[in-house]
Amino acid sequence: MQVLTAQCPYCQNKVDSTIEHLDGPVVCPQCAKPFEIEIPTAVVTSVQEVGRESVNADRMAAEPSERTLAKVHPVVFRARPLASLILGALFLASLVVLIASLAGASIAGYAFDGNAMLGPASLVTWVCGIVLLAIAGVVGFWMLVSRFTTLTVTDDRTIYQEGIISRATSEVQHNDVRNIQLDQSFTQRLLNIGGVGISSSGQDDLEVVARGLPHPERIIRLIRENQG
């Protein structure tokens, strides 16, 4: 049982009561006069200027921290299914031909003359090697762009950041969100990816446009649940 102690406004006597009796007036046992007990609230007792070094951190109240609910990057291969299939097939074909070319050159007795490999297999080897390096470069660029593109959803706002060298950031407060768009083709629905566009009440255009995100419906649901 929780007991509250209040002071009678008539006789200044201290009166004990329980929380269950706060719905209506209570009677002072000293002067027999009824009065209401108010639920206690925090009251600012003083304001003073102090140095940062003299502040007692254990006694200082803190603001509620912003919680990160989701942090996603655009997918790499599912966002480009056709290009990924073509590059994958080209990579496997080039790798097989490269291995066969090297093995064939060795069996046929091709050797280095100090400057270049002699024989017809040398051209195939160099071409396959260049193709493999080009594919690795393209995939590496895709992964780098995905790594430096981030959509962060907190309990207060949505933040979109992109850019490898230069950095661009857009954010929308959830309380100001007017419209959320889901851009998802049939193939993207099968792959469970899509684009999300967000606009606020003060703008006509979309302020946040993120494409190729995994589970876009989940992102939209998080934003809607935290609009306040």
Side-chain angles (χ1 to χ4, degrees):
M1 180 176 64
Q2 293 179 325
V3 178
L4 298 177
T5 301
Q7 191 173 36
C8 176
Y10 302 102
C11 64
Q12 310 303 319
N13 180 53
K14 290 185 178 180
V15 179
D16 293 335
S17 179
T18 62
I19 294 180
E20 289 78 12
H21 294 155
L22 295 182
D23 294 334
V26 296
V27 178
C28 175
Q30 182 72 19
C31 63
K33 292 183 179 181
F35 68 97
E36 292 185 355
I37 300 178
E38 296 181 356
I39 298 177
T41 58
V43 178
V44 178
T45 58
S46 65
V47 178
Q48 57 182 332
E49 292 289 339
V50 297
R52 184 177 296 272
E53 64 280 355
S54 63
V55 174
N56 189 343
D58 295 334
R59 296 181 56 187
M60 290 296 294
E63 294 183 359
S65 58
E66 186 177 13
R67 294 184 299 113
T68 299
L69 305 178
K71 190 173 184 179
V72 296
H73 304 279
V75 295
V76 177
F77 299 107
R78 282 185 293 164
R80 312 167 180 88
L82 182 58
S84 298
L85 289 176
I86 294 175
L87 287 184
L90 190 59
F91 178 84
L92 291 177
S94 299
L95 186 61
V96 170
V97 173
L98 177 63
I99 294 174
S101 175
L102 292 175
S106 176
I107 295 174
Y110 292 100
F112 284 97
D113 65 351
N115 296 319
M117 182 179 287
L118 300 176
S122 61
L123 179 61
V124 176
T125 301
W126 281 105
V127 170
C128 291
I130 292 173
V131 171
L132 291 176
L133 288 176
I135 294 175
V138 171
V139 173
F141 176 75
W142 288 352
M143 297 181 69
L144 195 63
V145 170
S146 174
R147 173 64 181 80
F148 284 91
T149 303
T150 308
L151 182 73
T152 304
V153 180
T154 72
D155 54 359
D156 184 58
R157 56 184 175 156
T158 297
I159 309 162
Y160 181 69
Q161 297 175 310
E162 63 178 343
I164 300 176
I165 299 177
S166 60
R167 199 74 168 154
T169 302
S170 302
E171 67 176 71
V172 176
Q173 297 289 329
H174 290 166
N175 291 336
D176 295 333
V177 170
R178 181 190 64 179
N179 182 32
I180 303 179
Q181 295 183 3
L182 173 63
D183 184 11
Q184 195 175 43
S185 64
F186 176 74
T187 303
Q188 289 176 330
R189 290 184 61 187
L190 295 178
L191 298 175
N192 201 10
I193 62 173
V196 175
I198 307 173
S199 64
S200 65
S201 56
Q203 300 291 332
D204 295 331
D205 299 330
L206 295 174
E207 297 174 70
V208 172
V209 179
R211 297 182 176 88
L213 300 178
H215 309 290
E217 297 91 350
R218 184 184 306 172
I219 296 173
I220 294 176
R221 185 170 63 253
L222 281 176
I223 296 174
R224 291 299 189 192
E225 290 175 352
N226 290 273
Q227 281 190 266

